[in-house]
Amino acid sequence: MTREKIFENRREVAGKICQDIRANNGRMLNAKYFSERPYCAGATPYKFSTANYLRLISSDNEIIQKGNPRWFSATEIKSNEWSLKENAMPVLLEVWTKDSDHQCSLTEFYNASDVLGKESFQHKNQSLETVLNFLKERGILEVDDKIVSLQDAIYAVKKYAESHGANELTSILSAQTWLLEMGLQTKIISFLPVFDESILAEIEKSPDILFEAMSKANSILKQLRREKVKSATENITTEEIFRDLKIIYHGSEGELQNKNGFAYPKESILTGIWAYNFLLAIKSAHEQKIWLEFSYKDYSHGKFLISGEDFAFDEEKFLTPFLRNRLDKNRQYLLDNPHELKKYLLTEKAMPAEELFARISLESKFFQGVMDEFQHEEFSYLENTLED
């Protein structure tokens, strides 16, 4: 195909993407399946161009929902005598010649998920802290308060793109691509940027700008990844209250607000007094399901759910009993019911039940010791607050 015909076909792709965005409340919904830049995984691997990236996003082929970034050309599958799964469907991607004629063909590619015998793809699973620290360490995300959210990070990437010459469309594509390629495991749909109707109308009027913007966004993200990590500075004083407390708030069934009506953003990290006030807000959020992580001093508790009976202590003045009950609940259950330990001894090589029981007992004692420190800090804080 000539260059002119390829560009004419790209305009059809751009129109298709605009239609899909309108049908999904202004979001490029298919983009959520691309946590890594798709690439040709053949004998000579190479990342696909941004044009092919957009072609895949526009595809109605359900195979893209697998999220597997590896693709093989039909020619390579045939030459290696590989077999395809029944009903495997290809997508048509651009392959350009390197000669002076700049000829291009739309070539059939199959996803690795449709090739028999290919191993499954292991998706990235980045923590929220890792994702936010990537920007913090490069000075892209500046944090003044004791709460920082994923939405703050998305806004920071958009501002970074704008500072590097991006227009509104390019900044949206930069933020969206960064968000997806960081590999954060969350309900990503609610964080996908929204394309305003005026932007869609502009794309439909001049479809080439979508491909130009995607190429520019790719260049900006390359620059972002090359930004030097800046030296860390310590801004916390030894007297600061709850300096060792950190909460990672993943989300809840409904909106979670503090007593002043401030709505806590999902996928956010809170430290210091902000984290303590967040826990107070949880105590008053009767019967909601809330997902979070808790860290204090040397104790860290991974992602857990607060709901139902966990609110039994919500009339207490202090948070400490509430936290002691919920965070040690599972360990206390096993210590009170040692016969249940067999559920955790799945293989012959597993540690003896007595050893597991002793380990759980030590973990519980360590946790309770840490909570003694938390209780002392909470008592001092509330005592001083009441005096004020």
Side-chain angles (χ1 to χ4, degrees):
M1 297 177 70
T2 64
R3 181 184 180 89
E4 290 72 20
K5 286 194 173 295
I6 283 293
F7 275 74
E8 182 179 337
N9 183 262
R10 283 186 183 182
R11 293 173 190 124
E12 295 176 10
V13 171
K16 171 68 164 51
I17 289 176
C18 286
Q19 291 176 8
D20 290 344
I21 290 174
R22 282 199 182 92
N24 291 288
N25 299 315
R27 289 184 168 90
M28 192 182 287
L29 208 58
N30 272 1
K32 69 179 181 179
Y33 303 118
F34 296 86
S35 61
E36 187 173 319
R37 179 60 60 85
Y39 62 96
C40 174
T44 307
Y46 63 90
K47 288 186 177 181
F48 286 139
S49 66
T50 53
N52 280 335
Y53 180 67
L54 288 172
R55 285 184 179 277
L56 287 169
I57 286 176
S58 72
S59 176
D60 291 325
N61 191 333
E62 292 184 0
I63 196 62
I64 68 170
Q65 298 178 19
K66 296 287 186 180
N68 193 325
R70 300 167 298 166
W71 295 81
F72 298 96
S73 69
T75 300
E76 186 151 29
I77 290 172
K78 183 178 181 180
S79 63
N80 283 285
E81 298 183 346
W82 293 335
S83 298
L84 291 168
K85 294 180 180 178
E86 186 178 357
N87 300 322
M89 296 291 293
V91 294
L92 295 176
L93 301 178
E94 298 177 14
V95 175
W96 290 81
T97 62
K98 297 181 179 179
D99 56 35
S100 58
D101 291 335
H102 296 293
Q103 291 292 309
C104 180
S105 62
L106 288 178
T107 302
E108 290 185 347
F109 279 81
Y110 288 87
N111 189 265
S113 300
D114 269 341
V115 180
L116 293 175
K118 293 296 177 184
E119 66 278 7
S120 59
F121 178 72
Q122 298 299 316
H123 293 276
K124 290 186 290 186
N125 187 6
Q126 299 272 45
S127 70
L128 179 62
E129 281 191 281
T130 299
V131 170
L132 298 185
N133 284 338
F134 175 86
L135 297 179
K136 287 182 186 177
E137 292 169 349
R138 290 160 177 78
I140 309 302
L141 178 61
E142 297 181 0
V143 183
D144 295 324
D145 294 322
K146 296 302 180 182
I147 176 171
V148 59
S149 69
L150 180 59
Q151 197 60 57
D152 294 330
I154 295 169
Y155 178 76
V157 174
K158 287 184 68 175
K159 298 301 290 183
Y160 178 86
E162 290 170 6
S163 71
H164 285 73
N167 58 19
E168 187 175 4
L169 174 58
T170 301
S171 66
I172 289 175
L173 291 172
S174 298
Q176 175 177 277
T177 305
W178 173 83
L179 170 66
L180 297 168
E181 293 186 354
M182 289 304 290
L184 178 67
Q185 295 299 301
T186 186
K187 293 181 179 179
I188 210 72
I189 295 177
S190 59
F191 293 100
L192 289 176
V194 175
F195 291 76
D196 188 78
E197 176 58 34
S198 62
I199 295 178
L200 298 180
E202 188 177 351
I203 294 173
E204 289 173 330
K205 182 179 179 181
S206 304
D208 294 346
I209 66 172
L210 177 60
F211 288 83
E212 294 166 2
M214 191 69 235
S215 179
K216 174 68 173 176
N218 184 52
S219 297
I220 290 172
L221 292 179
K222 284 183 179 179
Q223 178 63 37
L224 174 58
R225 288 188 286 270
R226 289 195 294 263
E227 292 285 349
K228 292 182 179 179
V229 174
K230 298 184 178 181
S231 59
T233 57
E234 181 60 68
N235 296 317
I236 300 176
T237 64
T238 55
E239 295 80 16
E240 185 177 354
I241 192 71
F242 296 116
R243 63 166 297 175
D244 297 311
L245 176 63
K246 178 176 65 180
I247 298 295
I248 301 178
Y249 169 51
H250 292 290
S252 54
E253 287 182 311
E255 190 175 73
L256 192 61
Q257 297 182 347
N258 66 10
K259 62 182 180 180
N260 297 318
F262 171 81
Y264 291 101
K266 296 178 181 179
E267 296 296 352
S268 58
I269 299 176
L270 307 95
T271 55
I273 192 61
W274 277 90
Y276 181 80
N277 287 333
F278 173 83
L279 292 172
L280 288 177
I282 284 180
K283 285 190 67 195
S284 60
H286 299 276
E287 304 301 323
Q288 265 206 66
K289 289 185 177 180
I290 303 165
W291 291 266
L292 65 150
E293 297 176 45
F294 173 92
S295 295
Y296 182 70
K297 296 189 181 295
D298 295 327
Y299 178 81
S300 294
H301 201 106
K303 190 173 182 180
F304 64 99
L305 169 67
I306 287 182
S307 64
E309 64 183 24
D310 299 325
F311 291 93
F313 286 78
D314 64 358
E315 296 303 323
E316 291 277 352
K317 175 183 176 182
F318 297 99
L319 275 171
T320 306
F322 175 74
L323 295 172
R324 284 189 194 274
N325 176 64
R326 176 57 187 90
L327 297 181
D328 209 31
K329 181 172 65 174
N330 293 339
R331 285 186 290 260
Q332 287 299 322
Y333 175 78
L334 291 174
L335 293 175
D336 293 339
N337 301 276
H339 60 279
E340 295 288 342
L341 287 172
K342 61 184 180 181
K343 295 179 181 179
Y344 300 88
L345 303 173
L346 302 178
T347 67
E348 295 180 359
K349 296 181 179 180
M351 68 178 67
E354 295 80 5
E355 184 178 341
L356 179 58
F357 186 87
R359 177 176 295 187
I360 294 172
S361 179
L362 284 174
E363 289 177 355
S364 180
K365 288 178 181 178
F366 172 74
F367 166 74
Q368 294 296 342
V370 170
M371 290 313 298
D372 288 343
E373 296 182 61
F374 183 91
Q375 183 175 17
H376 176 74
E377 186 167 12
E378 181 179 30
F379 180 81
S380 297
Y381 169 67
L382 292 179
E383 188 176 51
N384 292 330
T385 301
L386 290 175
E387 288 178 357
D388 293 341

Short mmCIF file of all heavy atoms in Angstrom, two decimals, residues 192-221:
data_model
loop_
_atom_site.label_atom_id
_atom_site.label_comp_id
_atom_site.label_asym_id
_atom_site.label_seq_id
_atom_site.Cartn_x
_atom_site.Cartn_y
_atom_site.Cartn_z
N LEU A 192 -9.01 6.43 34.23
CA LEU A 192 -8.69 6.78 32.85
C LEU A 192 -9.14 8.22 32.57
O LEU A 192 -10.25 8.60 32.91
CB LEU A 192 -9.39 5.83 31.88
CG LEU A 192 -8.88 4.39 31.83
CD1 LEU A 192 -9.75 3.56 30.89
CD2 LEU A 192 -7.42 4.34 31.39
N PRO A 193 -8.28 9.03 31.93
CA PRO A 193 -8.66 10.41 31.63
C PRO A 193 -9.88 10.47 30.70
O PRO A 193 -10.12 9.56 29.90
CB PRO A 193 -7.42 10.97 30.93
CG PRO A 193 -6.30 10.09 31.36
CD PRO A 193 -6.90 8.73 31.54
N VAL A 194 -10.62 11.55 30.81
CA VAL A 194 -11.81 11.75 29.99
C VAL A 194 -11.48 12.66 28.81
O VAL A 194 -10.85 13.70 28.98
CB VAL A 194 -12.95 12.37 30.83
CG1 VAL A 194 -14.15 12.70 29.95
CG2 VAL A 194 -13.36 11.41 31.95
N PHE A 195 -11.90 12.25 27.63
CA PHE A 195 -11.72 13.04 26.42
C PHE A 195 -12.93 13.94 26.23
O PHE A 195 -14.05 13.44 26.05
CB PHE A 195 -11.54 12.14 25.19
CG PHE A 195 -10.25 11.37 25.16
CD1 PHE A 195 -10.06 10.25 25.97
CD2 PHE A 195 -9.20 11.77 24.34
CE1 PHE A 195 -8.89 9.54 25.96
CE2 PHE A 195 -8.00 11.07 24.31
CZ PHE A 195 -7.85 9.95 25.12
N ASP A 196 -12.71 15.24 26.29
CA ASP A 196 -13.80 16.18 26.10
C ASP A 196 -14.36 16.08 24.68
O ASP A 196 -13.63 15.74 23.74
CB ASP A 196 -13.31 17.61 26.37
CG ASP A 196 -14.44 18.61 26.40
OD1 ASP A 196 -15.13 18.67 27.42
OD2 ASP A 196 -14.61 19.32 25.39
N GLU A 197 -15.63 16.39 24.52
CA GLU A 197 -16.28 16.32 23.21
C GLU A 197 -15.58 17.22 22.20
O GLU A 197 -15.47 16.88 21.02
CB GLU A 197 -17.75 16.71 23.33
CG GLU A 197 -18.50 16.78 22.01
CD GLU A 197 -18.48 15.47 21.23
OE1 GLU A 197 -18.50 14.39 21.88
OE2 GLU A 197 -18.47 15.52 19.99
N SER A 198 -15.07 18.35 22.65
CA SER A 198 -14.38 19.26 21.73
C SER A 198 -13.12 18.61 21.15
O SER A 198 -12.76 18.85 19.99
CB SER A 198 -14.01 20.57 22.45
OG SER A 198 -13.13 20.33 23.53
N ILE A 199 -12.44 17.78 21.95
CA ILE A 199 -11.25 17.07 21.47
C ILE A 199 -11.65 16.02 20.44
O ILE A 199 -10.99 15.87 19.40
CB ILE A 199 -10.50 16.41 22.64
CG1 ILE A 199 -9.95 17.48 23.58
CG2 ILE A 199 -9.37 15.52 22.13
CD1 ILE A 199 -9.24 16.93 24.79
N LEU A 200 -12.73 15.29 20.71
CA LEU A 200 -13.19 14.28 19.76
C LEU A 200 -13.59 14.91 18.44
O LEU A 200 -13.28 14.38 17.36
CB LEU A 200 -14.36 13.50 20.36
CG LEU A 200 -14.08 12.72 21.65
CD1 LEU A 200 -15.33 12.01 22.13
CD2 LEU A 200 -12.95 11.72 21.43
N ALA A 201 -14.26 16.05 18.52
CA ALA A 201 -14.67 16.75 17.29
C ALA A 201 -13.44 17.19 16.50
O ALA A 201 -13.43 17.13 15.26
CB ALA A 201 -15.55 17.95 17.66
N GLU A 202 -12.41 17.62 17.22
CA GLU A 202 -11.18 18.05 16.55
C GLU A 202 -10.49 16.88 15.86
O GLU A 202 -9.97 17.01 14.75
CB GLU A 202 -10.24 18.69 17.58
CG GLU A 202 -9.02 19.36 16.98
CD GLU A 202 -8.15 20.04 18.01
OE1 GLU A 202 -8.59 20.15 19.18
OE2 GLU A 202 -7.04 20.47 17.65
N ILE A 203 -10.49 15.72 16.52
CA ILE A 203 -9.88 14.52 15.91
C ILE A 203 -10.64 14.12 14.66
O ILE A 203 -10.04 13.79 13.63
CB ILE A 203 -9.86 13.35 16.92
CG1 ILE A 203 -8.93 13.67 18.08
CG2 ILE A 203 -9.42 12.06 16.23
CD1 ILE A 203 -8.99 12.65 19.21
N GLU A 204 -11.97 14.16 14.73
CA GLU A 204 -12.77 13.77 13.57
C GLU A 204 -12.59 14.74 12.42
O GLU A 204 -12.66 14.35 11.25
CB GLU A 204 -14.24 13.68 13.98
CG GLU A 204 -14.51 12.48 14.89
CD GLU A 204 -15.92 12.47 15.45
OE1 GLU A 204 -16.50 13.55 15.66
OE2 GLU A 204 -16.45 11.37 15.70
N LYS A 205 -12.31 15.98 12.74
CA LYS A 205 -12.07 16.97 11.69
C LYS A 205 -10.69 16.77 11.06
O LYS A 205 -10.53 16.90 9.84
CB LYS A 205 -12.18 18.38 12.28
CG LYS A 205 -11.99 19.49 11.27
CD LYS A 205 -12.13 20.85 11.94
CE LYS A 205 -11.91 21.98 10.93
NZ LYS A 205 -12.04 23.32 11.59
N SER A 206 -9.70 16.43 11.90
CA SER A 206 -8.32 16.22 11.42
C SER A 206 -7.78 14.95 12.07
O SER A 206 -7.04 15.02 13.07
CB SER A 206 -7.43 17.42 11.77
OG SER A 206 -7.95 18.62 11.26
N PRO A 207 -8.16 13.77 11.56
CA PRO A 207 -7.82 12.51 12.20
C PRO A 207 -6.32 12.28 12.42
O PRO A 207 -5.93 11.59 13.37
CB PRO A 207 -8.38 11.45 11.25
CG PRO A 207 -9.46 12.16 10.49
CD PRO A 207 -8.97 13.57 10.34
N ASP A 208 -5.49 12.88 11.59
CA ASP A 208 -4.05 12.66 11.72
C ASP A 208 -3.51 13.13 13.06
O ASP A 208 -2.47 12.64 13.53
CB ASP A 208 -3.29 13.37 10.60
CG ASP A 208 -3.59 12.78 9.23
OD1 ASP A 208 -4.16 11.67 9.17
OD2 ASP A 208 -3.27 13.43 8.21
N ILE A 209 -4.19 14.08 13.71
CA ILE A 209 -3.65 14.63 14.95
C ILE A 209 -3.63 13.60 16.08
O ILE A 209 -2.83 13.71 17.00
CB ILE A 209 -4.42 15.89 15.41
CG1 ILE A 209 -5.86 15.54 15.80
CG2 ILE A 209 -4.38 16.98 14.35
CD1 ILE A 209 -6.60 16.70 16.44
N LEU A 210 -4.50 12.58 16.00
CA LEU A 210 -4.49 11.54 17.04
C LEU A 210 -3.18 10.76 16.98
O LEU A 210 -2.55 10.50 18.01
CB LEU A 210 -5.68 10.61 16.86
CG LEU A 210 -5.75 9.43 17.85
CD1 LEU A 210 -5.83 9.93 19.28
CD2 LEU A 210 -6.94 8.53 17.53
N PHE A 211 -2.75 10.39 15.78
CA PHE A 211 -1.51 9.64 15.62
C PHE A 211 -0.30 10.51 15.96
O PHE A 211 0.67 10.04 16.56
CB PHE A 211 -1.41 9.10 14.20
CG PHE A 211 -2.36 7.97 13.93
CD1 PHE A 211 -3.69 8.22 13.59
CD2 PHE A 211 -1.95 6.65 14.03
CE1 PHE A 211 -4.57 7.18 13.37
CE2 PHE A 211 -2.82 5.59 13.80
CZ PHE A 211 -4.14 5.86 13.48
N GLU A 212 -0.37 11.79 15.58
CA GLU A 212 0.72 12.71 15.91
C GLU A 212 0.83 12.90 17.42
O GLU A 212 1.94 12.92 17.98
CB GLU A 212 0.49 14.06 15.22
CG GLU A 212 0.57 13.99 13.71
CD GLU A 212 0.00 15.22 13.02
OE1 GLU A 212 -0.43 16.15 13.76
OE2 GLU A 212 -0.02 15.28 11.79
N ALA A 213 -0.31 13.03 18.09
CA ALA A 213 -0.32 13.23 19.54
C ALA A 213 0.20 11.99 20.27
O ALA A 213 0.93 12.10 21.26
CB ALA A 213 -1.73 13.58 20.01
N MET A 214 -0.15 10.80 19.79
CA MET A 214 0.31 9.57 20.42
C MET A 214 1.82 9.43 20.29
O MET A 214 2.51 8.99 21.23
CB MET A 214 -0.39 8.37 19.78
CG MET A 214 -0.21 7.06 20.53
SD MET A 214 -1.06 7.04 22.12
CE MET A 214 0.29 6.61 23.21
N SER A 215 2.36 9.82 19.14
CA SER A 215 3.80 9.77 18.93
C SER A 215 4.51 10.76 19.85
O SER A 215 5.54 10.44 20.46
CB SER A 215 4.13 10.09 17.46
OG SER A 215 5.52 10.08 17.24
N LYS A 216 3.94 11.95 19.98
CA LYS A 216 4.52 12.97 20.86
C LYS A 216 4.46 12.51 22.31
O LYS A 216 5.42 12.68 23.08
CB LYS A 216 3.76 14.28 20.68
CG LYS A 216 4.16 15.40 21.64
CD LYS A 216 5.55 15.92 21.38
CE LYS A 216 5.85 17.13 22.24
NZ LYS A 216 7.23 17.63 22.09
N ALA A 217 3.35 11.90 22.71
CA ALA A 217 3.20 11.40 24.08
C ALA A 217 4.26 10.34 24.38
O ALA A 217 4.83 10.32 25.48
CB ALA A 217 1.79 10.83 24.29
N ASN A 218 4.53 9.48 23.42
CA ASN A 218 5.55 8.45 23.59
C ASN A 218 6.92 9.07 23.84
O ASN A 218 7.68 8.62 24.71
CB ASN A 218 5.58 7.55 22.35
CG ASN A 218 6.54 6.39 22.50
OD1 ASN A 218 6.49 5.65 23.47
ND2 ASN A 218 7.43 6.23 21.54
N SER A 219 7.24 10.12 23.09
CA SER A 219 8.52 10.81 23.26
C SER A 219 8.62 11.46 24.64
O SER A 219 9.67 11.43 25.28
CB SER A 219 8.70 11.87 22.17
OG SER A 219 8.73 11.28 20.89
N ILE A 220 7.52 12.04 25.10
CA ILE A 220 7.50 12.69 26.41
C ILE A 220 7.70 11.67 27.52
O ILE A 220 8.45 11.92 28.49
CB ILE A 220 6.17 13.45 26.61
CG1 ILE A 220 6.15 14.68 25.68
CG2 ILE A 220 5.98 13.86 28.06
CD1 ILE A 220 4.82 15.39 25.64
N LEU A 221 7.08 10.50 27.41
CA LEU A 221 7.24 9.47 28.43
C LEU A 221 8.65 8.89 28.44
O LEU A 221 9.17 8.51 29.50
CB LEU A 221 6.21 8.36 28.22
CG LEU A 221 4.76 8.78 28.47
CD1 LEU A 221 3.82 7.62 28.21
CD2 LEU A 221 4.58 9.29 29.90
#
